[in-house]
Amino acid sequence: MGAMELFFVDGEISTQVEELAQFIGQQNQSAASFAAEVAQSSDPVQAVLTASQGVLPKVSEDKVEAAYNQLFAIARTGESGIDGVAAAVAKDISANAESGVAGLRVLNNLYNLANAAQLTVFSEMVVLAVRVNMLPTLVPLVSQLPKLLAGWTGSAQQKADVVLELRNALDGAQLGNEAYATELVFLEAIGASDARAAKVATSAIVRFANLSAVCDLDALASLDNVQELSQNGQLGSAGELLNALLECDFEQWQKYAAANADALKELGVDADKATDKIRLLTVASIAAEHLGQDVPFSKVSQAIGVEEDDIEMWIIDVVRSGLMQGKMNQVTRSLVPTRSTYRRFGADQWSLLAERLDQWKASLEALQPVIGNAKLVAQQQAMQMAGQAQVTIKE
């Protein structure tokens, strides 16, 4: 969450209550009478907190944060503290704030002051951001969700509800990449025990197939909960789609897609986008098998079913996606991959990595005699030059 701006409120609590009561009364053209009414109340603190509902959220943007800062200072002196009023205050702001910027700023302050009520305040931040069309301001919090979830007080069900609330909001705002990232958090942090896990996993698999900017398949497929759901047969045709994405090259994908066209359509898979995704993954797989080697454009072209004249653009797309790094040689019309991402890093990949490390170790050992000889030659040359050097002092 963003840092809270420090605020300082001077005076006794009774004075603060009276000042805020007068301010609230001014919004209703009854400052004096309302302040007197609050002063005569058996619980002035609760009276001013109740009276603030529906009033403070509509205060002008330049005054609303200061007014709420004073309200929070008063609330902290009450028996239930900030957590006791946070839910009501947050709901009031999310429903009635006229300035989205100021409202989110106040809720951010409230979140940082609260303890047990942080989950509720976060939920109302999402509600407000959706209402005022400012959901992109919450996007940076998606990467912080695992840490936030660990710190929230609440049941697994409540936490799951908030994560899915954010996912649905991001989806509604056409922020598909962020919605997908939120689903990954749900699947990793909430677990397969939640009744909605299979549905969320299915959605994440379909999103991966459709989103051009998301290419790290291992981040999804390696999740324990996804593997458990798949092994238990709870993902149905989505599980088959995940396996196809993991295992198929372009030619195999074409056969799978033709045989399962109806199932893919029912899942909501965009056939063209999924096919392009397979092309990218296939190029990355070829690169992983030929690191440091020349790979002719013709081989890549044949593997992904595109014209050789277009292959450079596809290679650029693979590099841009983060799946691969390398160099293209227009003279030899070849690709030399220097790094590539596996779709799934399992036992076979670990074995291949160990084999390559052994090869590098053997190569380094073979270089040691060469390096030793070079050092010896350099030392001998230095000694010879030292012997030839003369210093003459004239008498």
Side-chain angles (χ1 to χ4, degrees):
M1 302 299 293
M4 179 188 67
E5 294 186 14
L6 294 177
F7 58 88
F8 303 92
V9 181
D10 295 329
E12 297 292 333
I13 189 64
S14 58
T15 303
Q16 296 174 29
V17 170
E18 181 181 356
E19 290 177 352
L20 186 57
Q22 290 180 347
F23 180 79
I24 293 173
Q26 287 173 357
Q27 311 311 308
N28 299 321
Q29 288 79 43
S30 58
S33 60
F34 180 70
E37 182 182 333
V38 168
Q40 295 171 4
S41 171
S42 60
D43 188 350
V45 172
Q46 185 58 47
V48 77
L49 289 172
T50 301
S52 69
Q53 298 290 299
V55 178
L56 290 189
K58 298 179 180 179
V59 171
S60 61
E61 186 173 347
D62 61 325
K63 296 179 180 179
V64 64
E65 188 171 9
Y68 270 108
N69 286 345
Q70 188 159 13
L71 178 67
F72 297 156
I74 293 170
R76 295 180 75 175
T77 67
E79 292 183 6
S80 57
I82 286 289
D83 285 328
V85 302
V89 171
K91 288 180 183 298
D92 185 33
I93 295 172
S94 68
N96 299 307
E98 294 188 349
S99 167
V101 173
L104 288 172
R105 201 160 55 228
V106 171
L107 286 176
N108 186 72
N109 287 345
L110 178 58
Y111 180 94
N112 289 324
L113 286 168
N115 291 304
Q118 284 187 331
L119 185 150
T120 299
V121 176
F122 184 90
S123 176
E124 296 304 326
M125 289 178 71
V126 175
V127 172
L128 176 59
V130 171
R131 183 171 69 81
V132 298
N133 296 317
M134 292 184 63
L135 198 61
T137 62
L138 300 185
V139 166
L141 299 180
V142 173
S143 62
Q144 300 179 35
L145 270 180
K147 182 179 179 181
L148 295 177
L149 283 167
W152 286 343
T153 300
S155 66
Q157 174 77 25
Q158 290 172 320
K159 293 179 180 181
D161 289 345
V162 171
V163 174
L164 291 182
E165 179 184 23
L166 178 59
R167 188 279 305 267
N168 294 339
L170 292 167
D171 217 8
Q174 305 300 311
L175 297 171
N177 295 341
E178 291 74 15
Y180 172 77
T182 307
E183 289 176 336
L184 293 188
V185 172
F186 179 97
L187 293 168
E188 183 174 15
I190 305 301
S193 59
D194 190 284
R196 297 163 291 185
K199 188 174 182 180
V200 174
T202 296
S203 174
I205 293 168
V206 173
R207 283 185 198 277
F208 179 86
N210 290 342
L211 292 171
S212 59
V214 177
C215 294
D216 185 3
L217 182 55
D218 189 58
L220 170 62
S222 64
L223 292 176
D224 291 340
N225 293 317
V226 173
Q227 294 178 8
E228 179 183 342
L229 290 166
S230 181
Q231 291 168 2
N232 293 339
Q234 295 175 259
L235 298 182
S237 56
E240 296 174 2
L241 170 60
L242 178 60
N243 290 332
L245 291 168
L246 284 167
E247 305 295 342
C248 289
D249 59 21
F250 178 70
E251 183 178 355
Q252 293 168 334
W253 170 263
Q254 285 185 305
K255 295 177 181 178
Y256 164 80
N260 297 274
D262 291 340
L264 293 176
K265 183 177 181 180
E266 185 177 351
L267 283 172
V269 175
D270 185 311
D272 292 335
K273 290 181 179 178
T275 299
D276 286 346
K277 179 65 65 68
I278 286 292
R279 284 191 169 103
L280 298 179
L281 294 173
T282 300
V283 174
S285 295
I286 294 173
E289 295 172 359
H290 298 84
L291 290 178
Q293 303 174 25
D294 281 336
V295 182
F297 284 175
S298 58
K299 180 175 182 176
V300 181
S301 171
Q302 184 178 3
I304 64 174
V306 300
E307 296 292 332
E308 188 173 332
D309 290 342
D310 298 329
I311 205 64
E312 290 185 30
M313 294 306 301
W314 280 99
I315 292 174
I316 290 172
D317 286 342
V318 177
V319 172
R320 186 183 294 119
S321 72
L323 287 171
M324 180 191 74
Q325 290 179 353
K327 297 180 180 179
M328 288 188 290
N329 189 325
Q330 280 81 10
V331 176
T332 61
R333 296 193 61 75
S334 64
L335 163 70
V336 182
T338 57
R339 182 195 67 81
S340 186
T341 301
Y342 289 98
R343 301 189 205 185
R344 174 166 49 189
F345 205 90
D348 292 341
Q349 285 69 40
W350 281 113
S351 178
L352 180 59
L353 178 59
E355 181 181 336
R356 285 177 176 167
L357 288 173
D358 288 339
Q359 292 174 353
W360 290 337
K361 182 180 179 181
S363 298
L364 290 174
E365 290 175 349
L367 283 174
Q368 284 183 345
V370 178
I371 296 172
N373 288 336
K375 287 183 177 179
L376 182 59
V377 170
Q379 290 172 354
Q380 290 175 345
Q381 289 177 345
M383 291 175 64
Q384 290 175 357
M385 294 193 60
Q388 293 174 357
Q390 295 182 357
V391 178
T392 302
I393 302 177
K394 187 176 180 180
E395 294 182 0

